[in-house]
Amino acid sequence: MASSNKKQKIDGQYIISKYMNYVLEHDTYPKSVYRFCKDNKIKEEEFYSFFGSLDSLEKNIWNTFFTISVDAMHQNKEYDSFSTREKMLTLFYTIFEILTLNRSYVLFALKRYDMPFKNLDQLKGLRLHIKNFTKELIEIDNDEKMFRITKNPTSVFSEGAWLQFLFLLNFWMNDESANFEKTDVAIEKSVQTIFDLFDNTPLNNVLDFGKFLWKEKVRWN
């Protein structure tokens, strides 16, 4: 008689799920890959086939949040017809929906160290994802502009989108409104602001936008 018990498939998603549960259940981080794997009945070679270290696993959690968000966005049949502004808005809304579903872990991870910038180290991969996503949108809008002088530098505005995300992340962490409604409003205003600046800031006049980014950075700090 065949056994009804199916062997659990060990993949990156499974390991990430076990890691997040471990952190929350123990209220601390595993001291080593060995300890984490032993407590979760995972072979070390299985762990290392997906992650090089616990640090890389922690970074991949944020990459996974982004990937899940993008996949969810593309399930909307109308997404491809959205304007660039609507696509950016959709990305931010979706990411924060995913973060809310994992709020306990996210808050724990972002308060791990007393120094805020040390906590942001785990977001390096996510930063690249958001900047690249923004660059693609900017390039689309630039292609629609006839004159080079009216085109906008992708690096400047993609960095602006990232700083906006950090501002929103900090806002969301401290949001006590029902269903995080205030965060939704902040997301809408934030995206509208950055695209208004994008639409009205030519390549040879990014000074005002630079001041804007600095103010957002100060607010995050």
Side-chain angles (χ1 to χ4, degrees):
M1 182 176 177
S3 173
S4 60
N5 293 325
K6 294 183 178 180
K7 185 178 180 180
Q8 173 65 52
K9 179 183 178 181
I10 306 297
D11 56 16
Q13 293 278 17
Y14 177 82
I15 295 173
I16 283 176
S17 177
K18 285 294 184 180
Y19 184 84
M20 293 171 67
N21 287 335
Y22 181 100
V23 169
L24 294 176
E25 290 173 2
H26 292 80
D27 200 33
T28 189
Y29 292 88
K31 301 299 182 183
S32 65
V33 172
Y34 170 80
R35 171 52 59 188
F36 168 70
C37 290
K38 183 176 182 180
D39 290 348
N40 289 279
K41 297 180 173 57
I42 299 172
K43 296 179 181 179
E44 282 193 70
E45 56 264 34
E46 291 175 326
F47 177 94
Y48 285 120
S49 66
F50 295 99
F51 308 104
S53 64
L54 293 176
D55 183 63
S56 67
L57 187 157
E58 291 167 8
K59 290 183 173 67
N60 267 282
I61 290 175
W62 293 91
N63 295 340
T64 300
F65 289 157
F66 181 86
T67 301
I68 292 174
S69 299
V70 171
D71 289 344
M73 287 160 50
H74 284 287
Q75 288 179 14
N76 184 343
K77 295 180 180 179
E78 298 179 356
Y79 175 77
D80 288 338
S81 64
F82 286 178
S83 67
T84 53
R85 188 182 299 234
E86 290 170 334
K87 287 181 178 179
M88 195 77 221
L89 192 60
T90 301
L91 175 68
F92 277 9
Y93 276 141
T94 308
I95 285 181
F96 279 96
E97 286 181 7
I98 300 300
L99 294 183
T100 297
L101 291 175
N102 298 278
R103 185 174 173 86
S104 294
Y105 173 81
V106 172
L107 293 181
F108 191 88
L110 291 176
K111 295 179 180 179
R112 183 173 184 177
Y113 303 105
D114 292 333
M115 298 177 62
F117 279 101
K118 193 171 183 179
N119 290 319
L120 296 182
D121 184 64
Q122 62 193 294
L123 306 184
K124 287 182 177 179
L126 179 62
R127 175 176 177 268
L128 289 177
H129 284 307
I130 290 180
K131 288 187 65 176
N132 287 335
F133 181 91
T134 307
K135 284 180 180 179
E136 291 180 4
L137 298 184
I138 295 171
E139 287 169 356
I140 291 173
D141 279 355
N142 275 341
D143 287 342
E144 297 175 355
K145 296 181 178 181
M146 294 180 61
F147 303 105
R148 178 175 295 275
I149 197 171
T150 65
K151 297 180 184 291
N152 290 287
T154 58
S155 59
V156 174
F157 281 90
S158 61
E159 187 65 34
W162 171 245
L163 289 176
Q164 282 295 87
F165 175 80
L166 288 182
F167 162 72
L168 290 168
L169 182 61
N170 186 55
F171 188 96
W172 171 81
M173 289 173 64
N174 295 285
D175 187 1
E176 297 181 351
S177 63
N179 295 319
F180 305 102
E181 294 175 352
K182 290 183 178 180
T183 296
D184 286 344
V185 173
I187 289 173
E188 182 176 4
K189 290 184 177 180
S190 180
V191 172
Q192 295 295 346
T193 297
I194 196 168
F195 269 85
D196 284 345
L197 285 168
F198 172 76
D199 290 338
N200 296 288
T201 307
L203 179 60
N204 65 342
N205 187 26
V206 295
L207 181 59
D208 288 340
F209 188 67
K211 291 179 180 178
F212 167 75
L213 295 186
W214 176 252
K215 290 179 181 178
E216 292 300 312
K217 185 175 182 180
V218 170
R219 291 172 69 178
W220 167 251
N221 293 340

